Amino acid sequence: MTSAAAPKKDPWDLPDVSGLTVGVLGGTGDQGRGLAYRLARAGQKVIVGSRAAERARRAAEELGHGVEGADNAQCAQRSDVVIVAVPWDGHRKTLEGLREELAGKLVVDCVNPLGFDKKGAYALKPEEGSAAEQAAALLPDARVTAAFHHLSATLLSDPGVESIDTDVMVLGEVRADCETVQALAARIPGMRGVFAGRLRNAHQVESLVANLISVNRRYRAHAGVRLTDV
Amino acid sequence: MTSAAAPKKDPWDLPDVSGLTVGVLGGTGDQGRGLAYRLARAGQKVIVGSRAAERARRAAEELGHGVEGADNAQCAQRSDVVIVAVPWDGHRKTLEGLREELAGKLVVDCVNPLGFDKKGAYALKPEEGSAAEQAAALLPDARVTAAFHHLSATLLSDPGVESIDTDVMVLGEVRADCETVQALAARIPGMRGVFAGRLRNAHQVESLVANLISVNRRYRAHAGVRLTDV
């Protein structure tokens, strides 16, 4: 008798995410604006969130492509997928204040906890292990993933840049959630979303940005990461 | 009056390293053998080291390309550049025993401190911060760098593989030392050596191997890392 095992699922067979609304908390910061711009330009419905609704609305207007602005709570409530792009020092407080709004949502943490001194950037280690694990601890009813750490805000925001040559490492505990985020990354020309492990391995992905900052200084580049042989 | 600042040094202007002898501590393990093989095949003089000289000599014979074998102490003494490719659990003890032999040498740590359980691989955090920083603490008279973390031993050791499509992130405190290691990486077809920061940012580079292991499982790949826009 031969084995009746199901054929292994193709890891590139990703869901259609074109109908999802994506919220970006911290959508008025450099990283958040850049991500919002790229996703909206790719046809995604995007809502940028900020503490002040008025600031979010102004940012949305500048971004165009149908982007809307709202305060963080409204942004979270109205979105299916919520990207967390706030500064690290506002991370805990922002998420604590949105526990109810984020219940049941697919949360994508892209925050890089870094310190800076005269020798450059260095990794900060959150007590939960990583920013993503802190989000998971603060949001027990949300589905937390981590992604979009290594993108250059400069490239994201430059309308003249058609394609961004980089992979997005996606981390999480639930395969379907990771695949949704991978599909979202893949909507942006030049990007792939690549599954890269569980949340307990998020710290090094977040911290690698310190190294990319060194690379950028030495080579005057906007370095990204591509995984080879994948 | 115009500025008289010297023109910025081209970061790709790297030294000629073809005359250097490279030792590989742990040169009978998978990673060490693979690196020794690639460097020797590229024309570098290589000595593989092992606790037992006889085992090192057998490995050297199998590797060919003029590779020699010696015990770790001889390997260190006879080499200009010494790659540390021992298992993490032997890292401290091996280096403590070679303090004199490694004095003045350019040491390249490529050890990835990882733990494994049924959920896969995860990062271990050495008390010194990283394997490379542990090496620097144990070897105050050596010039410690970190590099060669993300290479697939399978690809390195496969004689049918002509070129390995990956970048080698090189970390260290002294520019000239990093450049020597970068030049060494660049001798292997397909590889570039890219400066990627100080030793205090080595932990995330070492730990990223846990993520690459997840990538390899999901995509049945031998994943490497390429830095884009550099």
Side-chain angles (χ1 to χ4, degrees):
Chain A
M1 206 179 121
T2 55
S3 163
K8 207 175 151 78
K9 191 175 178 300
D10 176 0
W12 296 110
D13 181 14
L14 300 173
D16 176 7
V17 295
S18 58
L20 299 179
T21 297
V22 177
V24 183
L25 302 176
T28 59
D30 286 346
Q31 198 72 9
R33 283 171 83 96
L35 268 172
Y37 172 67
R38 284 291 152 183
L39 288 168
R41 184 169 139 159
Q44 205 73 35
K45 174 70 202 165
V46 176
I47 304 172
V48 291
S50 179
R51 272 175 298 180
E54 191 39 43
R55 246 180 83 193
R57 279 193 283 269
R58 275 201 307 273
E61 235 169 79
E62 286 169 30
L63 289 166
H65 297 283
V67 176
E68 292 183 53
D71 66 31
N72 280 332
Q74 282 287 324
C75 167
Q77 252 166 358
R78 293 180 51 204
S79 302
D80 305 299
V81 178
V82 181
I83 297 175
V84 183
V86 300
W88 166 240
D89 64 9
H91 188 259
R92 178 184 296 279
K93 206 178 154 198
T94 302
L95 295 184
E96 273 174 349
L98 296 170
R99 220 170 272 201
E100 281 178 36
E101 291 83 352
L102 291 171
K105 306 286 184 180
L106 176 44
V107 170
V108 190
D109 204 301
C110 72
V111 174
N112 304 308
L114 294 182
F116 294 88
D117 62 20
K118 60 185 179 180
K119 291 185 170 182
Y122 57 94
L124 299 175
K125 176 93 169 180
E127 58 180 297
E128 295 86 353
S130 60
E133 287 163 287
Q134 182 180 91
L138 293 171
L139 305 170
D141 298 324
R143 295 135 58 206
V144 176
T145 61
F148 298 117
H149 303 89
H150 305 143
L151 305 178
S152 154
T154 309
L155 294 183
L156 287 174
S157 298
D158 183 344
V161 173
E162 296 291 332
S163 173
I164 297 181
D165 177 23
T166 188
D167 286 336
V168 171
M169 294 193 215
V170 178
L171 294 90
E173 302 300 312
V174 176
R175 181 156 181 166
D177 293 340
C178 291
E179 288 179 340
T180 297
V181 180
Q182 290 169 248
L184 213 53
R187 296 211 70 194
I188 301 174
M191 286 191 199
R192 300 186 302 178
V194 178
F195 174 73
R198 294 174 179 273
L199 290 188
R200 68 175 179 176
N201 283 317
H203 174 59
Q204 56 265 29
V205 174
E206 296 170 359
S207 309
L208 197 70
V209 175
N211 303 85
L212 297 183
I213 290 171
S214 293
V215 171
N216 288 344
R217 282 191 189 171
R218 176 65 55 91
Y219 299 92
R220 299 175 181 252
H222 301 294
V225 174
R226 187 64 94 183
L227 297 174
T228 57
D229 196 46
V230 173
Chain B
M1 205 179 123
T2 55
S3 162
K8 209 175 150 79
K9 190 175 180 298
D10 176 359
W12 297 111
D13 181 13
L14 300 173
D16 176 8
V17 295
S18 59
L20 299 179
T21 297
V22 177
V24 183
L25 303 176
T28 58
D30 287 344
Q31 198 72 10
R33 283 172 84 97
L35 268 172
Y37 172 67
R38 284 291 152 183
L39 288 167
R41 184 169 139 158
Q44 206 72 35
K45 173 72 202 165
V46 175
I47 304 173
V48 291
S50 178
R51 272 174 299 180
E54 192 38 44
R55 246 179 83 190
R57 279 193 282 268
R58 274 201 306 273
E61 236 168 79
E62 285 169 29
L63 288 167
H65 296 282
V67 176
E68 291 183 53
D71 66 33
N72 280 332
Q74 282 286 325
C75 166
Q77 251 165 0
R78 293 181 50 205
S79 302
D80 305 298
V81 178
V82 181
I83 297 174
V84 183
V86 300
W88 165 241
D89 65 9
H91 187 261
R92 178 184 296 278
K93 207 179 155 196
T94 302
L95 296 185
E96 273 174 349
L98 295 171
R99 221 171 271 201
E100 283 177 36
E101 290 84 352
L102 290 171
K105 306 286 183 178
L106 176 43
V107 170
V108 190
D109 204 299
C110 72
V111 172
N112 304 307
L114 294 182
F116 293 88
D117 61 18
K118 60 186 178 179
K119 290 184 169 182
Y122 57 95
L124 299 176
K125 176 92 168 179
E127 57 181 296
E128 294 86 354
S130 60
E133 286 163 288
Q134 182 179 92
L138 293 170
L139 305 170
D141 299 323
R143 295 136 57 206
V144 176
T145 62
F148 299 117
H149 302 90
H150 304 144
L151 304 178
S152 156
T154 309
L155 295 183
L156 287 173
S157 298
D158 182 345
V161 173
E162 295 292 332
S163 174
I164 297 181
D165 177 23
T166 189
D167 285 336
V168 170
M169 294 193 216
V170 178
L171 294 91
E173 302 301 312
V174 177
R175 182 157 180 164
D177 293 339
C178 291
E179 289 180 341
T180 297
V181 181
Q182 291 169 248
L184 212 53
R187 297 210 70 195
I188 302 176
M191 286 191 199
R192 299 187 302 178
V194 178
F195 174 72
R198 292 174 180 273
L199 291 188
R200 67 175 180 175
N201 283 317
H203 174 60
Q204 56 265 30
V205 173
E206 296 171 357
S207 309
L208 197 69
V209 176
N211 302 85
L212 296 182
I213 290 172
S214 293
V215 171
N216 288 344
R217 282 191 189 170
R218 175 65 55 90
Y219 300 91
R220 299 173 181 255
H222 300 293
V225 174
R226 186 65 92 182
L227 297 173
T228 56
D229 197 45
V230 174

